[in-house]
Amino acid sequence: MFEALGQRLGSIFSGLRGKVSDSDLIEFTAQIKTALLESDVALEVAEGFSNKVLENCKSKSDEINKSTNPASRIFEIVNTELTQVLGGSARRLQFAKTPPTVILLTGLQGAGKTSLAGKLAYYLKSQGNTPLLVASDLQRPNAVTQLQVVGDSIKVPVFAPEPGNGIGDPIDVAKAGVKFAKDKLHNFVIVDTAGRTGVDQALMQQVIDIRDSIKPDETFFVVDAMIGQDAVRTAKAFLDGVGFDAVILTKLDGDARGGAALSIVELTGKPIIFAATGEKVTDFDLFYPDRMASRILGMGDVASLSEQAKRAMPEETSKKLEDKFLKGEDFTFEDFLSQLEAMKNMGSMSKLMGLLPGAAGMKKQIENFDESELVRTRAIIESMTPTERNNPKVLNGSRRARIARGSGRAISEINSLVERFSQAQKVMKQMRGGANIPGMGALAGMSNLPKPQQINLPKKKSRSGNPAKRAIEEGI
Ligand code: GDP
């Protein structure tokens, strides 16, 4: 979503060289303001932001110019201000003193409320909670069925006594849903409400009536980030009409310019609590202003990336791989398969690549990445026998021909995968001395990724002189 802004800011920063005068700073902040306006950020927010950056830079100009790298000091100031404009620190979910915590979702039709209800329920459930979904959108055709389908898919119960499509009273459903949750000891209730295509009084009144009857602990305003400045206008109308505690942005994966996300906190005075970045239930997370600022400024979002990796790969699998690696054992196709499995759980590869530092500069590669390559690679490995997976050296011509037939791929593809795999195995061995990580990308065919980071891996432990101790160390 913020690619264009990230690229513009990147080029503005690259124009900063050596010491900076006040007039350089004025020029620099004017360029930032223009870049923000072009990204659809509201005028007052763009102005306020660039003025704050200018004030801060001017007040620290001695310090900036004494530093060995003035541009990086200015970069830090912009980063801090950007984090502030996005809300400062992350807003956490507030729990009710006595469960259940009641969450009311409001917003326009099509904002993504019903999908969001599912995503939020899935998120809460994966943290050990017992959410209940309540179908109080009785207006939009199919909204009740949609909620039931999503509830089924994530194994979260849905309270839906009315069929919807214009039938039933949403206030009664909401009240009965909360009571049901109390009786059945659910610790969260998520109430989905109806939206309209535009803000209107009847809609506001219905949401107000639901709010007054269930007294939610959290009221969230769900808004489609793709609708630009309209998102801010709608948010203000809901804030005046119904009131809400925090904003949830959906469709941050879209190619809109991101102005809504950057303007909404400042203009409503309410924080963004969650963000949705796709149609799958896993495309959802807490909104972290600092991480978003890093992404916009091209520093990537390594914190989210590693959290996603942790969530996707069971701890025992990653521990096993790490142990093998430290012991100097060969990386096998079996290990590779478990990594591919984890990558599948992590979501789309292009999205993950977007979290890497410098992602703005590799937009083309990210767009061109062929997700089906991973599926083909899996099919090939799944056609191998356990012996072949654990010892690829046995893969002679006839075995390769059999694998090609089994996976429906050409022999040249099998050869190329085995070739890339043995190269990666070799590099992994060298790497134990502290060289570069080849990454799974090399295997999955992403030879066009940027150079990997240098990392310091623990060196292989020295072996004990005591044979008994050594036997323990070596796991004999
Ligand atoms: P509601 O009317 O507010 O309940 O909206 P829905 O939940 O039905 O969502 C409207 C459309 O937006 C559906 O087609 C969803 O699949 C899609 N959608 C929702 N959230 C996202 C998102 O974060 N990214 C993308 N790309 N699509 C989304």
Side-chain angles (χ1 to χ4, degrees), residues 106-117 119 137 140 143 146 192-195 222 224 226 249-254 275-280 283 351:
T106 70
L108 292 186
Q109 183 169 318
K113 275 188 307 312
T114 306
S115 329
L116 199 280
K119 288 169 182 156
D137 179 353
R140 180 165 66 75
Q146 189 187 335
D192 184 25
T193 62
V222 181
D224 175 349
M226 301 270 285
L249 286 178
T250 63
K251 309 188 196 178
L252 271 186
D253 51 316
T277 53
E279 307 210 30
K280 288 204 286 243
D283 294 332
K351 252 181 216 163

Side-chain angles (χ1 to χ4, degrees), residues 21-158:
S21 63
D22 276 5
S23 64
D24 292 335
L25 287 173
I26 290 169
E27 164 71 18
F28 168 76
T29 46
Q31 285 178 0
I32 288 195
K33 181 174 139 191
T34 310
L36 291 173
L37 290 175
E38 282 171 3
S39 286
D40 220 10
V41 174
L43 175 66
E44 54 217 285
V45 177
E47 254 169 15
F49 181 84
S50 52
N51 287 342
K52 270 194 209 129
V53 171
L54 181 61
E55 266 167 41
N56 267 335
C57 289
K58 275 185 170 172
S59 71
K60 291 181 182 149
S61 72
D62 279 355
E63 187 195 321
I64 291 172
N65 281 323
K66 270 189 208 136
S67 115
T68 47
N69 188 348
S72 85
R73 286 291 298 117
I74 297 175
F75 188 86
E76 279 167 34
I77 291 172
V78 174
N79 188 19
T80 310
E81 281 310 325
L82 200 52
T83 307
Q84 281 311 316
V85 90
L86 288 164
S89 51
R91 158 75 150 76
R92 300 302 166 112
L93 200 57
Q94 279 165 16
F95 293 70
K97 281 198 190 83
T98 33
T101 300
V102 179
I103 298 174
L104 178 65
L105 298 180
T106 70
L108 292 186
Q109 183 169 318
K113 275 188 307 312
T114 306
S115 329
L116 199 280
K119 288 169 182 156
L120 181 55
Y122 180 78
Y123 170 87
L124 291 171
K125 188 182 170 202
S126 61
Q127 297 191 336
N129 297 294
T130 51
L132 172 76
L133 286 161
V134 175
S136 272
D137 179 353
L138 303 180
Q139 211 65 40
R140 180 165 66 75
N142 253 345
V144 174
T145 323
Q146 189 187 335
L147 197 66
Q148 280 167 326
V149 169
V150 75
D152 275 355
S153 74
I154 56 173
K155 301 198 170 45
V156 166
V158 179

Side-chain angles (χ1 to χ4, degrees), residues 169-183:
D169 180 350
I171 301 155
D172 289 347
V173 171
K175 269 200 296 207
V178 173
K179 180 171 181 315
F180 181 87
K182 268 187 199 145
D183 293 347

Side-chain angles (χ1 to χ4, degrees), residues 112 130 179 182 205 223 329 375 384:
T130 51
K179 180 171 181 315
K182 268 187 199 145
Q205 197 52 52
V223 66
E329 284 174 22
V375 178
M384 294 177 184

Side-chain angles (χ1 to χ4, degrees), residues 142-389:
N142 253 345
V144 174
T145 323
Q146 189 187 335
L147 197 66
Q148 280 167 326
V149 169
V150 75
D152 275 355
S153 74
I154 56 173
K155 301 198 170 45
V156 166
V158 179
F159 183 82
E162 297 287 358
N165 300 332
I167 302 169
D169 180 350
I171 301 155
D172 289 347
V173 171
K175 269 200 296 207
V178 173
K179 180 171 181 315
F180 181 87
K182 268 187 199 145
D183 293 347
K184 301 280 174 204
L185 304 178
H186 288 279
N187 73 343
F188 274 95
V189 194
I190 302 164
V191 182
D192 184 25
T193 62
R196 300 281 192 278
T197 44
V199 175
D200 73 24
Q201 204 40 51
L203 159 76
M204 293 291 183
Q205 197 52 52
Q206 185 181 87
V207 185
I208 291 169
D209 291 344
I210 296 180
R211 182 199 65 195
D212 292 346
S213 65
I214 61 171
K215 308 224 167 5
D217 300 288
E218 295 271 38
T219 302
F220 296 144
F221 171 67
V222 181
V223 66
D224 175 349
M226 301 270 285
I227 62 173
Q229 297 275 341
D230 268 349
V232 178
R233 277 190 281 277
T234 319
K236 279 183 160 172
F238 267 79
L239 191 64
D240 295 341
V242 185
F244 54 79
D245 301 304
V247 176
I248 300 183
L249 286 178
T250 63
K251 309 188 196 178
L252 271 186
D253 51 316
D255 53 8
R257 290 165 288 178
L262 283 162
S263 317
I264 212 156
V265 176
E266 194 100 335
L267 295 184
T268 61
K270 297 290 175 189
I272 303 170
I273 181 162
F274 293 109
T277 53
E279 307 210 30
K280 288 204 286 243
V281 284
T282 46
D283 294 332
F284 173 86
D285 205 349
L286 269 174
F287 183 83
Y288 296 94
D290 53 343
R291 296 185 191 179
M292 187 54 84
S294 290
R295 268 158 86 169
I296 297 174
L297 291 174
M299 295 187 288
D301 183 356
V302 180
S304 294
L305 193 61
S306 73
E307 275 176 18
Q308 285 184 29
K310 263 197 203 131
R311 263 184 253 150
M313 188 179 276
E315 204 171 324
E316 50 191 287
T317 315
S318 62
K319 177 88 180 65
K320 208 175 95 196
L321 281 174
E322 195 183 316
D323 284 352
K324 276 189 87 159
F325 180 71
L326 292 176
K327 279 190 199 152
E329 284 174 22
D330 269 348
F331 179 74
T332 66
F333 272 119
E334 201 67 66
D335 302 326
F336 183 35
L337 204 57
S338 49
Q339 290 194 338
L340 282 181
E341 195 56 42
M343 283 162 82
K344 202 176 80 189
N345 296 339
M346 283 167 78
S348 103
M349 205 53 212
S350 338
K351 252 181 216 163
L352 295 178
M353 285 157 80
L355 298 175
L356 291 169
M362 31 173 219
K363 198 169 181 283
K364 272 248 141 49
Q365 288 99 316
I366 293 179
E367 274 167 11
N368 292 341
F369 179 71
D370 179 5
E371 305 271 346
S372 57
E373 177 79 33
L374 296 180
V375 178
R376 290 195 288 274
T377 305
R378 273 176 70 94
I380 296 177
I381 302 177
E382 278 166 352
S383 296
M384 294 177 184
T385 63
T387 315
E388 290 161 353
R389 289 185 202 175

